[in-house]
Amino acid sequence: MLDVRPIAAFHDNYIWMIRGTGEPRSVAVVDPGDAGPVLAALAAEGLRLEAILATHHHADHVGGIAGLVAATGAQVFGPARERMPVAFEPLAGGARVSLASLGLDFDVLDVPGHTAGHIALVGHGALFCGDTLFSAGCGRLFEGTAAQMLASLETLGGLPEETRVFCGHEYTEANLRFALAVEPGNSAIMDYVKRAAALRAEGRPTLPSTIGLEKRVNPFLRSSRENVKSSAERRAGRMLPTAVDVFAAIRSWKDTFR
Ligand SMILES: [Zn+2]
């Protein structure tokens, strides 16, 4: 199994550190919003940063890239349709990124919605999805439409169920409170609430999740379910004839949910 470890940054971001399969002292990081904690992790274990992968342009995901490049000379890969703080290798959906020195290959998926050019990376049974799919939630629609985000989430939902899901933020407990409001009778959500609370009480991440778990608990992957549709319609006070209507209603409900 791919060796992936979280580096906590800011209030609730995760920078994911991936070890090379052949050379475990060589690593890549995903979405380094801050260089400091990455440099500390490299120094603590004598690791060499070979590659930096970015899913989208938000500062809390790319803010550490320039500092890391200056300190390590690592190669930078980012979304072809977004701006990055430094020169980078552009990645677009359908491409495959090969990190030869790490023995790692990832397929690139276009997942617009949170930002217009957001990409996700999938390989070795792991998905790095930035702020598109969260555990029990999804990113806000800053630059894309509900239809785009729903299509992006359906792409991710079509990955093998055992795929491990490495998201950009620790939002799981708040997301689960919302998921239960949408589906009060969903026992998989209730079980996950307990498990997430136990992990957080020990200071441990709830991530990675899996695609299979997300399909059982995540309202944004369940908008075609009859109970989710009727819950969204009660909330919206009107009929929601299409899957996009249901998804858009759940997304805007979540935006104001406390
Ligand atoms: Zn973001």
Side-chain angles (χ1 to χ4, degrees), residues 56 58 60-61 114 131:
H56 67 294
H58 285 160
D60 63 320
H61 295 251
H114 177 68
D131 290 354

Side-chain angles (χ1 to χ4, degrees), residues 7-8 15 33-42 64 67-68:
I7 299 172
I15 300 164
D34 191 0
V38 176
L39 292 171
L42 296 172
L68 289 173

Side-chain angles (χ1 to χ4, degrees), residues 48-108:
R48 188 170 65 250
L49 184 64
E50 298 273 357
I52 297 167
L53 303 159
T55 61
H56 67 294
H57 68 84
H58 285 160
D60 63 320
H61 295 251
V62 305
I65 291 179
L68 289 173
V69 170
T72 67
Q75 193 175 8
V76 180
F77 300 84
R81 287 197 290 280
E82 299 196 349
R83 281 210 284 270
M84 293 282 116
V86 299
F88 68 105
E89 298 289 327
L91 303 178
R96 169 171 272 242
V97 54
S98 289
L99 309 175
S101 57
L102 296 163
L104 300 175
D105 295 281
F106 294 100
D107 290 316
V108 182

Side-chain angles (χ1 to χ4, degrees), residues 55-58 82 111-119 140 142-144:
T55 61
H56 67 294
H57 68 84
H58 285 160
E82 299 196 349
V111 287
H114 177 68
T115 63
H118 200 304
I119 58 168
R140 286 177 185 255
F142 286 123
E143 297 173 11

